[in-house]
Amino acid sequence: MSNNASTMAAPSGLVNTVFLAGIAGAVISVVLVLASLMGEGHASFNTTSDGVVWGLPISNYLFFVIMSTGLTFVAAFGMVFGIKEFYPVAKRCVWLALATLLAGFASLAFELGHPFRMLWALPTSFQIYSPMNWMGVLYGAELVFIVWKMQKLNAGDWDSGVSKKLGMASFVAAILAVAMLGSVFGMMAMRPYWFGGMIPMYFLLSALLCGVALTVLISYIAYGFERNSMPPAMQDLFKGTTSTLYASIPVVFGTVIGITLVALTLRTATGLWSHQDGFQAFNWMVASPWFTIEAIALLAAFVMMMNPGMRAGQGAQIGAAVLVLVAMFIDRYLFVIGGQVVPVFKGAWVSGFVDYTPSLTEWMLVVMSISLCLAIYAFGEKKLRLTDAPSS
Amino acid sequence: MAKWGMVIDLDKCTGCTACTTACGMENNRLPGENWQDVLFYQEGEFPSGTMKWFPRPCMHCENASCVEVCPTRATYKDPEGGLVLIDWNKCIGCKYCMIACPYGVRFYTDEKAPIQPDVKQVFKGDGKRSWNPPWRAPENRDDWKHGVGVQPNGVVSKCTFCYHRITKAPKGTPDLDPNNPALREFTPACVVTCAPTARFFGDLDNPNSEVSKMIANQRGVRLRDHTGNKPQVYYLTGGAGGAIPTDRRDKKS
Ligand code: SF4
Ligand code: SF4
């Protein structure tokens, strides 16, 4: 197998625009966030000890780091499992996994009371019972493996022993990290809305969904929304004209949306059906207008990917990717907030839910993460030949 | 070694919130962020609705979920007296403990003031403390390792069972009774102040302590016992007679 098959295309003008917009968005949002944090501290958030303590910045963190795992999955299709049809998106996915991971970490860093103290207090204390501790270890490992793997890929090393092992290690670390993140919530028996050993599985499933969606969206952006300028193998992957039926974007995307819809529906139905104290949060969830938007967006994306006349189309794929990303952003929000809307203590008697609307500063952290992610991605697109793939 | 615990007799509690005030003064709590809160709630609807109240300190749980989730071990179970305490030097403000506590007893001060005007703005902190209350205890009583003093920014706080008082009591004391002048100074502030004497504090591991006897003879119950946290705060609800089993693994006798 020779390296660096020359599939290099000049980045489209759109990538330059994305880069500049990302930088501008990141600078503006970070300045605004720093200004309010230095002025008011975390009082600029709308989180309160009596109600929602983990707000939008945490659900934003979840959205990005879970997506990072999903991107590692998509990269692994080619690099770990040898499904060659996915080679054309592999390197881009590895880079995107890094971009999303950093975007998520940034949101968390601004949310913590003492982010710098964390750097020494976490490793020196090492509370083995804390899922959050393990989450830190595993995400740290994922970060190291991805950076290292990216460095190998960039040097044109796709299939040396070390490079393959790094691909495998990133894949395993990503699975364990997102599973542990699921356990941060899933182990909380005192909050039934979150509780359950299957929550990590749901995180893994939705990670793949988000990973595929971002792969689709960014791949089109990389080629200026012009599928015809993609390399032929990549066009096949997106059109579903590869020699292996399952190894195509529309099939994988449609399937994962479908399974996610089933999982979400059953989780919601179970929650609404049960009278267990704490499950009132499911009533809160379905009453939220965001839930309606999420459901419609996922259903629409599913219909688009199931419809034989639509699923191979560029417009439908971009549309479905955007719908899925919006829906999953909402999903993370409803998940994180939902576990806290039933007041832990008072909830045993009072049917009221906790009120929470994110503040401007909290929204700025979302803007920051999106901008950072786009800027880092576009930087890679310009400088790191993300289109590279092994030639065979 | 003692296992300190509290008994609150709900039949005697009048909901006067003197405990809340005493705790606020003793521990420099911000208005509305009460370590020792009394919750008020309604049951039923007009015309038969009633207002009820419920005093709620930190339960200093035996199986404290807040201890287990804390990634930095800032929240820990103190081996000396069985207290659950927070080391403010180590807390990173991740708030996982606030998520994991089934009783909602923990506070992160770095947030919008629940009660206006914001006294933090009136008595501004000096960088070390999150605010500078005019009535605060002497500097040398600050003890961040045990979460005692004016809460700094970016960390979580909660009731310490008045760690700074009870640790000065003579070793082996079965009960810290505020009516005993020799022990009054070492008794938690809320227990000292409770006018109808609804609060009792003592060693749960000592079968001869008043609190142990009260729990045994008056069927002390623990809040949300199904969580398995095993609070060291017991409530007396007046009832004699049969009791609902709280843990199916308990031995049959
Ligand atoms: S009541 Fe909450 S904060 Fe107190 S020990 Fe129990 S779990 Fe921890
Ligand atoms: S907020 Fe502090 S005490 Fe609570 S879990 Fe995090 S580090 Fe531990």
Side-chain angles (χ1 to χ4, degrees):
Chain A
M1 195 189 287
S2 80
N3 294 321
N4 275 352
S6 175
T7 42
M8 176 118 183
S12 72
L14 188 58
V15 170
N16 283 322
T17 316
V18 166
F19 182 66
L20 293 177
I23 295 281
V27 169
I28 294 170
S29 53
V30 169
V31 166
L32 288 176
V33 167
L34 282 178
S36 35
L37 283 186
M38 289 197 284
E40 290 178 83
H42 282 112
S44 54
F45 289 9
N46 281 349
T47 45
T48 58
S49 293
D50 284 348
V52 169
V53 299
W54 281 354
L56 182 65
I58 294 292
S59 78
N60 182 46
Y61 161 73
L62 254 65
F63 177 71
F64 279 96
V65 298
I66 298 177
M67 186 146 63
S68 168
T69 292
L71 290 157
T72 315
F73 289 173
V74 180
F77 288 163
M79 296 190 309
V80 176
F81 299 108
I83 308 171
K84 286 203 280 290
E85 286 81 353
F86 282 93
Y87 273 152
V89 292
K91 187 172 176 186
R92 187 171 287 110
C93 282
V94 174
W95 183 248
L96 279 173
L98 183 64
T100 44
L101 205 53
L102 295 176
F105 286 165
S107 182
L108 186 65
F110 282 111
E111 203 271 347
L112 286 178
H114 287 287
F116 296 110
R117 186 178 291 175
M118 176 189 76
L119 298 176
W120 64 261
L122 219 63
T124 54
S125 312
F126 216 85
Q127 170 58 280
I128 52 166
Y129 293 114
S130 173
M132 187 182 279
N133 176 41
W134 290 109
M135 177 193 82
V137 171
L138 291 163
Y139 269 116
E142 184 186 339
L143 181 67
V144 171
F145 290 140
I146 292 181
V147 170
W148 196 351
K149 175 77 188 178
M150 190 64 205
Q151 183 258 329
K152 287 277 173 213
L153 293 183
N154 220 33
D157 173 7
W158 285 73
D159 51 6
S160 73
V162 176
S163 184
K164 281 197 169 143
K165 286 200 185 80
L166 280 173
M168 184 75 83
S170 331
F171 178 63
V172 172
I175 291 181
L176 295 179
V178 95
M180 198 45 79
L181 178 54
S183 301
V184 164
F185 297 91
M187 286 182 183
M188 296 301 102
M190 66 297 289
R191 298 191 185 251
Y193 179 82
W194 285 338
F195 180 61
M198 284 295 140
I199 289 294
M201 293 308 296
Y202 176 65
F203 274 34
L204 282 166
L205 171 66
S206 53
L208 180 57
L209 178 62
C210 293
V212 176
L214 195 71
T215 306
V216 172
L217 183 63
I218 294 288
S219 298
Y220 280 110
I221 289 180
Y223 291 91
F225 292 125
E226 275 300 332
R227 188 156 71 189
N228 292 335
S229 44
M230 288 179 182
M234 193 166 171
Q235 289 194 30
D236 284 341
L237 177 67
F238 279 84
K239 284 183 192 153
T241 46
T242 49
S243 48
T244 326
L245 175 65
Y246 64 83
S248 81
I249 287 289
V251 172
V252 172
F253 199 18
T255 311
V256 185
I257 304 174
I259 302 175
T260 309
L261 268 172
V262 172
L264 264 177
T265 310
L266 288 177
R267 171 172 154 78
T268 309
T270 308
L272 291 174
W273 184 86
S274 167
H275 300 307
Q276 156 111 334
D277 178 46
F279 273 22
Q280 302 94 324
F282 283 96
N283 298 326
W284 168 88
M285 181 181 88
V286 292
S288 160
W290 294 110
F291 179 76
T292 313
I293 299 175
E294 176 189 346
I296 293 176
L298 277 181
L299 277 171
F302 184 61
V303 169
M304 283 158 135
M305 285 303 105
M306 282 297 110
N307 185 329
M310 288 177 90
R311 63 175 163 238
Q314 171 173 323
Q317 291 182 356
I318 297 170
V322 171
L323 286 173
V324 163
L325 290 173
V326 169
M328 292 319 289
F329 186 84
I330 296 174
D331 189 70
R332 304 288 179 238
Y333 178 81
L334 293 176
F335 182 82
V336 169
I337 307 305
Q340 304 167 75
V341 289
V342 179
V344 242
F345 182 66
K346 203 170 64 169
W349 298 287
V350 186
S351 58
F353 293 116
V354 166
D355 274 334
Y356 168 72
T357 319
S359 70
L360 184 66
T361 312
E362 291 174 271
W363 277 111
M364 276 302 131
L365 286 177
V366 176
V367 174
M368 176 197 72
S369 293
I370 296 175
S371 309
L372 266 183
C373 176
L374 290 177
I376 296 172
Y377 151 69
F379 172 82
E381 195 70 66
K382 284 155 73 84
K383 301 281 179 206
L384 299 174
R385 305 185 318 273
L386 299 185
T387 318
D388 277 4
S391 57
S392 62
Chain B
M1 259 168 293
K3 181 166 90 184
W4 293 117
M6 193 180 282
V7 169
I8 304 178
D9 189 340
L10 294 179
D11 276 353
K12 286 190 184 166
C13 171
T14 60
C16 71
T17 70
C19 49
T20 306
T21 312
C23 174
M25 296 302 284
E26 181 77 18
N27 294 298
N28 303 116
R29 295 314 302 151
L30 286 157
E33 299 203 343
N34 307 314
W35 282 355
Q36 164 47 62
D37 222 338
V38 181
L39 298 167
F40 292 86
Y41 56 98
Q42 295 166 19
E43 264 184 13
E45 308 238 314
F46 180 82
S48 56
T50 47
M51 192 181 75
K52 307 219 161 167
W53 57 90
F54 187 74
R56 184 238 50 203
C58 166
M59 308 285 154
H60 292 268
C61 308
E62 256 173 67
N63 295 336
S65 40
C66 58
V67 171
E68 283 160 358
V69 298
C70 178
T72 64
R73 296 181 197 258
T75 291
Y76 62 98
K77 189 90 178 153
D78 153 55
E80 291 297 311
L83 310 179
V84 172
L85 299 168
I86 306 170
D87 183 345
W88 284 338
N89 298 305
K90 274 180 154 183
C91 173
I92 58 171
C94 67
K95 299 179 270 180
Y96 198 9
C97 51
M98 300 175 73
I99 293 287
C101 169
Y103 306 105
V105 310
R106 291 177 158 254
F107 295 92
Y108 186 67
T109 299
D110 205 4
E111 59 187 27
K112 288 199 168 64
I115 291 176
Q116 294 297 338
D118 183 355
V119 292
K120 277 188 290 186
Q121 296 307 321
V122 182
F123 305 105
K124 282 202 193 315
D126 49 10
K128 204 169 144 233
R129 302 181 176 84
S130 61
W131 65 308
N132 222 341
W135 61 86
R136 81 181 144 75
E139 190 96 1
N140 63 7
R141 213 198 65 192
D142 275 13
D143 178 3
W144 281 20
K145 230 179 141 344
H146 300 100
V148 175
V150 182
Q151 184 170 352
N153 274 324
V155 301
V156 168
S157 76
K158 67 162 193 70
C159 155
T160 64
F161 264 179
C162 281
Y163 175 86
H164 54 285
R165 294 170 74 108
I166 64 171
T167 42
K168 305 221 172 66
K171 294 268 169 292
T173 314
D175 289 282
L176 295 179
D177 179 0
N179 294 322
N180 177 346
L183 295 174
R184 191 177 171 85
E185 278 305 299
F186 312 133
T187 310
C190 58
V191 180
V192 174
T193 212
C194 181
T197 332
R199 289 173 179 258
F200 307 89
F201 194 84
D203 184 357
L204 299 177
D205 269 356
N206 183 338
N208 296 317
S209 67
E210 284 306 314
V211 284
S212 296
K213 286 188 210 154
M214 267 188 260
I215 293 164
N217 298 338
Q218 299 180 52
R219 301 194 185 284
V221 291
R222 300 186 287 199
L223 183 60
R224 296 190 83 192
D225 223 356
H226 66 276
T227 61
N229 268 38
K230 303 207 168 189
Q232 285 169 214
V233 173
Y234 286 77
Y235 292 94
L236 305 182
T237 54
I244 298 167
T246 50
D247 191 331
R248 278 173 288 167
R249 294 163 307 170
D250 282 349
K251 286 203 187 71
K252 293 191 177 122
S253 55

